[in-house]
Amino acid sequence: MNRGNHYIRLYLGMLLSVLLASLFFSGLYCFNNKYTQHTTQPISGLLILSETDMEQHPSRYLWHDWAYYPNVLLTPADFQDGSPDRYMTYVNLQSGNRMDLSGQSDQARFGCGTYLLRIQVPNTHISYSLDMPEVFSAYRLYINGNPALSIGNPDPDHYQDATGSRLVTFFPDENGRVTILIAVSNQSYFYSGMTFPPAFGTPQALNYTRGIRLGLRLCTIFMFQIAILVCGYFWFRTRHKNAALLALLCLLMIGWTVYPLLHTLFLLPVFPTYWLETLCCYGTLTLLLYLHNQVCGISATVSRISCGVAVSVCIGLSGYFFGASAIPDWGIAAVSHILAGYKLLLSAYLILTAFLTARKSEKNHQLLYVSLFFGCACLWDRIYPAYDPIFGGWFLEWVCTVLIYMLSAMLWRFLAESYTQNRLLQQQNHNAEKQLTMQTNYTLQLREQIEIRRRFVHDFRHHLRTLHTLAEQTGDQTVLEYLDSMGEYNSGTGKAAETYCGRPAVDALLFYYDNLAEIRHIDLSLQFQIPESFPMTDVELCTLLGNLLENAVEACLRMPPEAPKRILLKTACKPAFWYMVIENTYDGILVPKEQQGLFTRKNNREYHGIGLSSAIHVAEKHKGTLDVQPSAKLFRVGVLIPTGKHATTPKAMPPQ
């Protein structure tokens, strides 16, 4: 019953996501689109505006019925005696425009042309403005016969491409007429001429719209910058690669969405500006795909194949941009269809993998819903080709922003949990180090007391010998018999504790496990040595040895009583490194951990893997390595620590 409810919620959520996404993109198309504004548009190259028109819509986007003269760059002088005797047609400003309308050229997007529009305004005593978007790839703007703006150099003999967004303010002539003449050349880009409609209206209205549009961009970029700082903090604390990848993803989104600000502030060349923008776009999709695979737990083979296809698309796009001038129109159209198919295929992959993951756990339902949102964006982008947003970005920018926020929330939750666990582990290590320091101090004091006792015993023997000599001299048989009964006058052996490496704390730890192994009937072989200038402190070395020996003893104790139990600890001192191997028998059973490494099998599951993790931390702190090599019957751990100096041979080990 619960499983059935899970599927019902899943399918209802999918249906609701598709419905809301479709309403969202349809709403953007209807209410945030330069082509769907209910404003008066030019007809046959002429726009007549009344006072009512200007009061109701103080700004409008001019996209309909521009007069277009293909294959020629005209100036106001060519119109002094009326319209020139050249071929002219009326065109709408959209992305599918061509410079050459004859259809006989394989590169009709390249060439030149002139756009003309006349506007009749109701008030001749106020100024008006024209907000010019990017025009591909160089143009000159004339208003009422006067040069108003020049971007790049459209002259075919001295062609230089450039793009930028500029606002031009002017007054109509005495008859209330505004004549806009734009001479355009394109020899650089896949889009040709005027593909985005300029905005016409009062300066106040255009500046207001322009300010909101750029302000929203700034806010979006600022949010991505905050996300980069948060990811950088988590990466610095946890060294988790997904935090760095998420920061890189936000950086790519900034590179993708910052172009309206750049075009407003600077005049930029077509190449490499639009190549970098497009590369950031498809790089964002590639990195989103990789992180999506990580969150969904996709198998390594499938993940490599899908990411390899995405990377190949990015590489192919780079070649596409570098060879722009040699690619015919049919090739450009084919690449456009391939990219559209790639986006649809990518959305289908995201939806399918997210669906399979969401069927297993309700935690991934949100990722499925956002994947459906992405798929709807790609679909509606094909259904609504005539879309140019007034505010915000294109469909794909919207959905990628939402998808990044969703992945960020999921990854940040995971990183926060990892950070909390890491802090807990650090606190436990800190407490252990404090206890070990106290034990070291106690051991030092104990050794001092032992040395005092040894000296006392040693000196006392001399006193006994002296008494024995005096008794012989005086002939006191009773005292002699008593002293002789003491043998070598040993009131105590005076033997010091075992010495393994000359470090009291480490010797005490090894001596403890040597005695413990004897009590537990474990055959322990110790061959331990360290160089004189060993980089580890007593605390670090005891942490490393204590955790590994504890794990080895516990593994032996879990074996059947009749099974042989052995532990081997041996070291090697080389000129550039110190190597240690701890090898123990075990029952051959390993419990895999969720991410990496191995769980221990302690009764208290809260401390699973902490000992091995702590040992790894100590090794990595000194730029060393700790390798775990389990086999069927032996569990082997190897530790390699760089020393940089020649090792010296320590005192010989006592026989084991």
Side-chain angles (χ1 to χ4, degrees):
M1 184 65 181
N2 292 334
R3 196 68 175 172
N5 292 336
H6 168 71
Y7 285 134
I8 291 174
R9 289 193 298 270
L10 176 64
Y11 295 133
L12 287 178
M14 293 173 60
L15 181 62
L16 185 60
S17 298
V18 172
L19 179 61
L20 292 177
S22 300
L23 291 175
F24 176 74
F25 293 118
S26 298
L28 287 179
Y29 177 81
C30 294
F31 303 107
N32 189 40
N33 188 4
K34 297 175 182 178
Y35 294 101
T36 56
Q37 276 194 323
H38 299 293
T39 58
T40 306
Q41 286 292 321
I43 298 177
S44 300
L46 176 63
L47 174 62
I48 300 176
L49 298 174
S50 64
E51 291 186 0
T52 303
D53 290 331
M54 294 303 300
E55 289 176 359
Q56 292 179 348
H57 302 284
S59 67
R60 67 200 63 241
Y61 292 92
L62 308 175
W63 60 271
H64 190 265
D65 264 10
W66 282 68
Y68 178 62
Y69 296 84
N71 303 318
V72 63
L73 296 175
L74 302 178
T75 66
D78 297 310
F79 292 86
Q80 288 181 350
D81 300 326
S83 298
D85 187 17
R86 300 193 63 90
Y87 172 74
M88 184 272 292
T89 186
Y90 296 103
V91 297
N92 298 333
L93 304 185
Q94 54 191 9
S95 60
N97 284 353
R98 296 166 173 259
M99 302 301 298
D100 181 7
L101 300 180
S102 65
Q104 300 177 356
S105 172
D106 288 338
Q107 293 181 317
R109 285 180 169 83
F110 304 119
C112 60
T114 303
Y115 298 85
L116 175 68
L117 182 66
R118 295 182 175 91
I119 304 175
Q120 184 69 46
V121 295
N123 194 332
T124 61
H125 301 292
I126 64 172
S127 61
Y128 294 87
S129 292
L130 187 70
D131 189 0
M132 288 293 297
E134 307 98 289
V135 177
F136 305 106
S137 296
Y139 70 93
R140 291 192 184 98
L141 169 66
Y142 304 91
I143 296 180
N144 289 337
N146 300 314
L149 183 63
S150 179
I151 303 292
N153 189 346
D155 188 351
D157 296 329
H158 304 88
Y159 175 79
Q160 182 179 1
D161 62 38
T163 59
S165 177
R166 294 293 183 269
L167 185 69
V168 180
T169 301
F170 49 86
F171 285 91
D173 62 15
E174 63 276 6
N175 298 317
R177 176 167 292 186
V178 177
T179 302
I180 302 173
L181 185 69
I182 307 174
V184 181
S185 283
N186 176 40
Q187 299 177 18
S188 308
Y189 199 51
F190 312 116
Y191 294 144
S192 58
M194 297 183 64
T195 60
F196 304 127
F200 173 81
T202 62
Q204 296 84 357
L206 291 186
N207 279 312
Y208 178 76
T209 303
R210 189 183 179 94
I212 293 178
R213 183 169 62 247
L214 297 180
L216 290 175
R217 287 282 174 176
L218 282 172
C219 291
T220 302
I221 293 172
F222 178 74
M223 292 177 66
F224 283 127
Q225 290 175 334
I226 295 296
I228 290 175
L229 293 177
V230 174
C231 292
Y233 174 79
F234 276 119
W235 179 84
F236 178 77
R237 287 293 185 179
T238 65
R239 289 297 191 271
H240 200 288
K241 69 175 182 178
N242 283 347
L245 292 176
L246 191 56
L248 177 60
L249 180 60
C250 294
L251 186 62
L252 288 174
M253 277 299 296
I254 291 177
W256 181 13
T257 59
V258 76
Y259 66 91
L261 294 175
L262 296 179
H263 288 314
T264 302
L265 298 174
F266 310 103
L267 291 180
L268 301 172
V270 170
F271 187 86
T273 303
Y274 287 101
W275 169 62
L276 292 175
E277 176 194 327
T278 306
L279 196 61
C280 285
C281 168
Y282 285 90
T284 299
L285 297 180
T286 301
L287 208 50
L288 277 173
L289 173 62
Y290 178 81
L291 290 173
H292 175 89
N293 288 339
Q294 293 289 308
V295 173
C296 291
I298 304 301
S299 66
T301 302
V302 176
S303 180
R304 280 195 291 267
I305 293 174
S306 59
C307 292
V309 172
V311 171
S312 300
V313 170
C314 294
I315 296 174
L317 272 175
S318 298
Y320 177 63
F321 270 86
F322 278 97
S325 59
I327 299 177
D329 271 13
W330 64 266
I332 294 175
V335 171
S336 177
H337 291 308
I338 290 174
L339 291 179
Y342 165 71
K343 293 177 197 175
L344 292 174
L345 182 64
L346 176 61
S347 62
Y349 174 83
L350 295 178
I351 293 171
L352 178 61
T353 52
F355 173 74
L356 295 177
T357 306
R359 291 182 63 186
K360 301 176 183 178
S361 173
E362 292 188 7
K363 294 181 179 180
N364 294 315
H365 281 198
Q366 293 178 341
L367 184 61
L368 172 61
Y369 302 151
V370 176
S371 299
L372 287 169
F373 190 60
F374 182 91
C376 289
C378 296
L379 180 62
W380 287 107
D381 185 59
R382 306 306 301 172
I383 297 175
Y384 293 140
Y387 175 71
D388 188 0
I390 300 173
F391 303 111
W394 309 85
F395 289 167
L396 207 56
E397 290 181 51
W398 282 93
V399 71
C400 284
T401 301
V402 174
L403 192 54
I404 287 175
Y405 288 153
M406 180 61 63
L407 285 173
S408 299
M410 299 178 70
L411 289 174
W412 284 347
R413 184 170 61 246
F414 172 75
L415 291 173
E417 293 174 354
S418 299
Y419 175 72
T420 302
Q421 293 176 357
N422 188 46
R423 292 291 296 176
L424 177 61
L425 180 60
Q426 290 178 357
Q427 184 63 38
Q428 292 173 345
N429 286 338
H430 177 69
N431 294 336
E433 289 177 357
K434 287 177 61 178
Q435 294 176 1
L436 191 55
T437 302
M438 295 170 61
Q439 180 182 354
T440 302
N441 294 333
Y442 173 77
T443 303
L444 290 174
Q445 295 175 6
L446 185 60
R447 285 182 62 85
E448 290 178 0
Q449 296 298 323
I450 292 174
E451 288 299 319
I452 293 173
R453 181 177 176 277
R454 289 180 64 218
R455 287 195 299 269
F456 173 77
V457 171
H458 182 271
D459 295 341
F460 186 64
R461 291 159 113 186
H462 290 294
H463 295 307
L464 289 177
R465 291 192 183 100
T466 303
L467 290 174
H468 190 277
T469 303
L470 290 174
E472 286 178 344
Q473 293 175 355
T474 59
D476 192 337
Q477 293 299 323
T478 304
V479 174
L480 285 173
E481 290 176 2
Y482 179 77
L483 292 175
D484 288 337
S485 67
M486 296 176 64
E488 293 295 326
Y489 318 118
N490 287 327
S491 62
T493 62
K495 182 181 178 181
E498 297 281 3
T499 300
Y500 299 92
C501 66
R503 291 193 178 184
V506 180
D507 288 342
L509 181 71
L510 293 175
F511 187 68
Y512 167 78
Y513 278 102
D514 195 358
N515 289 333
L516 179 63
E518 184 176 354
I519 294 171
R520 299 296 186 180
H521 305 291
I522 299 173
D523 182 13
L524 175 61
S525 176
L526 285 175
Q527 302 173 19
F528 189 81
Q529 59 180 353
I530 58 174
E532 289 183 353
S533 57
F534 194 58
M536 285 190 182
T537 64
D538 286 355
V539 172
E540 292 169 337
L541 191 52
C542 287
T543 300
L544 179 68
L545 288 169
N547 283 307
L548 297 181
L549 285 173
E550 181 184 22
N551 288 345
V553 170
E554 290 181 353
C556 289
L557 294 178
R558 281 194 297 269
M559 298 178 65
E562 67 279 2
K565 304 174 179 63
R566 295 189 303 274
I567 298 176
L568 169 65
L569 187 154
K570 61 181 179 179
T571 61
C573 298
K574 301 297 181 182
F577 62 87
W578 175 80
Y579 185 71
M580 179 179 71
V581 173
I582 295 181
E583 183 179 279
N584 63 272
T585 55
Y586 78 116
D587 57 9
I589 301 175
L590 296 176
V591 180
K593 192 176 178 181
E594 293 179 358
Q595 298 296 331
Q596 59 183 357
L598 297 169
F599 272 136
T600 63
R601 288 148 65 187
K602 292 182 171 59
N603 294 328
N604 190 346
R605 301 186 65 86
E606 181 182 357
Y607 298 103
H608 276 191
I610 289 181
L612 190 58
S613 175
S614 181
I616 293 174
H617 173 74
V618 172
E620 291 180 345
K621 181 179 179 181
H622 292 276
K623 300 181 180 178
T625 59
L626 188 149
D627 298 318
V628 178
Q629 300 173 345
S631 62
K633 296 182 179 180
L634 292 178
F635 193 91
R636 184 180 295 108
V637 178
V639 181
L640 184 69
I641 303 296
T643 59
K645 295 184 179 180
H646 292 276
T648 60
T649 304
K651 298 179 180 179
M653 292 296 301
Q656 300 296 326

